[in-house]
Amino acid sequence: MGKIAYIDKWRIAETSFSEKYLAKFESIMTLGNGYLTLRNTHEEVYPTEHRNMFVAGIFNRFSPEETTELANFPDISKIEISIDGQRFSLLSGETTNYKREFNYQNGEAIRSFDWKQEEYAFHFTFRKFASMSNKHLIVHEIKIKNLGKDARITFETGIDGTYTNSGTQNFLENERRFFDNKYLYLTTKTTQSKVSVSLACYTHLDVPHVSIPQMGRRKIIEKKQVELKSDQSVCLTKQSLIKTQRDVKYSGKDYLQTELLTELSQIADQSYEILQKESAKAWQDIWDQGEIEIDSEDVKDNLLLNFARYHLHAMSPIHDDRLNIGAKGMTGEGYKGHTFWDTEIFILPYFTYTYPEFAKSLVRYRINGLAAAKANAKRNNYRGAQYPWESAWLSDGEATPKLGGVDIVTGKQSPILTGLIEHHVTGDVVYGGLQCIEATQDPKLKVDFFEVIMEAARFWASRSVYNKIKDRYEILDVIGPDEYTEHVDNNAYTNYLAKFTIDEALRAYYANDENSFKVQYQADINWLTEVSEKLYLPIPNSANVIPQDDTFLKKEMIDLSKYFESNSIGTIGLDYNMEQISNLQVCKQADVILLLQLFPEKFDYQTKLANWDYYYPKTLHDSSLSLTSHCNFALITNQIDLAYKMFKKTFDIDLGDRNMNSSDDGIHSASLGGIWQNVVRGFGGFTVQDFHVTITPKLPKQWRSLSYTVSVFNATIKVDITKTTIKTTLKKGTLSDIVINGKTLNFDKEALSVEV
Ligand code: BGC
């Protein structure tokens, strides 16, 4: 049996305990609800674990040399168990029937096994969840049945503020209290951002026991001792509540103490079952709104989709428009909780077309980030607004670290240049935002986004340099999406997005008569028009290939088979440093291929195919963003079998059991958004073109059917696709027509069915 069992379309399980793979399971089975996340570490401690709990938006920058990061919270998840004074651990004794399961439908983690050592024998069951109905709540339950000799069981748990982000203590010394002889309380503040946070917990045993509260440095815990006779059972329940000064509902100091404790006392008597049911119901409401189902020969296809959907909701702080999604969600310390272009190009479409209200919150984050983006542009001597490559809290500005991994040639830390010259994010923000505005038709969002478009356009115009000899504007010295080529001129993806942004700004300016902001841009219009007209857009060469940048096509080609065959990503970095890789025709991820997807109407089929043939064999997919972009593009170029193969490969990024360390620092958010795009936009063939909904499915032969729900233009449509029919049902709102397989049909009834 493999290391992971794929039980059904909602559940996976770890089938045997291994210290080596703790980090992987902690990440992929992270508990979360968009407000907070808890990595699925075991209750008992292991040396190789990464025990993290994050609350969205609680960033801290420990020192000026370090970058701002999501602070690892004081821990509430550790529950040490001792048996007659000996710490229980799966590293000793004999464990049988081990199973650690995660249910992506209701967010619940369950672990159970039998364990024995000498005369001792027990059956253990652990359950936990982060509540989707009360986003401040995490609940743990442990049941132990004694199958051996009588024993004294001691549980030791509480709130432990000694936890750090890989050694960096982001919280000040805390204050601790024991209230009403039962509630543990700890309050503290982040060291630099000075955000107050409070945690309270209540631990309950269902049998008579002795309870001893203890305070240690930075922690407050309770020891609970029970004499467990042979055949007897004990059940522990722990409810933990977390609140912070950055909560939308924060109302002053009382909120962090009085209100927190009052709430805890109100739920203290509720059983695990009741609280879990409430949470499961909230999850189910989410699934009902975005109903989607793949009926495939391989249940793993649907599992992958549900895994992606679970994490997209667990990681997305859509309750607060000052927050956005991290590149690893909040499932680990990787990328420090920072937001990238991953949101707009890969993740946002899922929310735009399924949960439009959530999408609007993510777009508002960029509107709210305008002041910082303007300051960023100014600092870099540009005009307008330059969105940071990596962003965190709105006022943090550019959050990209300066140094990264080892340079294989010099042995030093490699510089990270993305924060300095990977600028396409300012175009991506506009692209994603406009797509959301088009789909939701929200007039207020449209007005509020106007300034983002105008300021982004001003940035691009000031970022472009006039080349007198060629009489054109150029964008020099950038990194495009393919981060294996640094310091390049006229990256096609970047230039097309810059032109798109400026054109959209001009369009919005002329269309938007009532906007009071409009007048301030009057003086820029001639300038923006001139740059738009003369901005250089790399066009296909005689072989129909669009040059990725000015020099890419002239660079050396090497045999890449060794890297394609490798099970790990980034192995080219073991042979070459970044400067050397930059001089080769090798791509980390989709670049031109992505450009062709964002602007499909601009390029004909032959051009699309020629670029696939050229770039695909040179792309190592060393970024998790790459496979889903390629899957979609393979479908655009009618390569359904290949697209399905890529979809299958995407499974390996986080869920697979081939590379058991790929998710140690967290799962890959953009890939998750990409998975939904593959299913609905790719195989499901859903697009919006010139204000028409079009459905042109391309189901792989392994799929018997696909159903999905999309919301667009204030209407909700359910699409059911089988091998022989395409049925569309209007669930909400109205829609005048729909284009199915190229044919425009009037939507005058509730449902339309077409034979294929
Ligand atoms: C990719 C970027 C991406 C970042 C965060 C990098 O490896 O090259 O495109 O934004 O990861 O996911």
Side-chain angles (χ1 to χ4, degrees), residues 327 335 340-342 389 422 481 483 588-589 622-625 670:
Y335 287 131
F340 293 66
W341 68 308
D342 303 30
W389 175 245
E422 189 156 356
E483 293 175 352
K588 179 180 180 187
Q589 64 200 84
D622 279 348
S623 154
S624 61
L625 280 57

Side-chain angles (χ1 to χ4, degrees), residues 305-318:
L305 177 67
N306 287 336
F307 165 78
R309 292 202 296 155
Y310 165 80
H311 276 294
L312 285 166
H313 290 275
M315 69 168 63
S316 300
I318 36 76

